[in-house]
Amino acid sequence: MDKRLLEILVCPVCKGGLIYLREQQELVCLADKLAYPIRDDIPVMLDSEARRLSLEEYDALRQRRTAPVA
């Protein structure tokens, strides 16, 4: 994913920031608990294409975002 594109993309539902998950090829909105797919390097920013995060995924991502930097 192009870093400049990642800087300007926001969640289409809440307009909040997104987390890029390279391995899963997804952009995640923690506020709405949605994961938007990236297909052929193109983010699919449609809420109808997004999947709901499980509680475990949400907790893991939230903890990772708030972990202290060593």
Side-chain angles (χ1 to χ4, degrees):
M1 285 283 314
D2 181 7
K3 185 175 176 138
R4 292 176 297 182
L5 179 61
L6 288 174
E7 291 173 358
I8 62 172
L9 282 176
V10 295
C11 174
V13 176
C14 71
K15 309 300 185 246
L18 299 166
I19 301 168
Y20 175 46
L21 300 179
R22 180 175 296 159
E23 295 80 30
Q24 292 90 340
Q25 286 296 287
E26 292 179 322
L27 293 170
V28 173
C29 174
L30 287 179
D32 294 313
K33 299 180 183 109
L34 294 173
Y36 297 92
I38 300 171
R39 298 184 185 127
D40 298 322
D41 290 328
I42 300 171
V44 181
M45 304 305 294
L46 301 170
D47 56 338
S48 61
E49 292 289 322
R51 69 174 183 85
R52 286 252 167 232
L53 294 177
S54 69
L55 183 57
E56 293 80 18
E57 287 176 302
Y58 173 77
D59 286 341
L61 285 169
R62 201 168 57 95
Q63 287 176 4
R64 190 171 95 184
R65 294 283 292 186
T66 59
V69 177

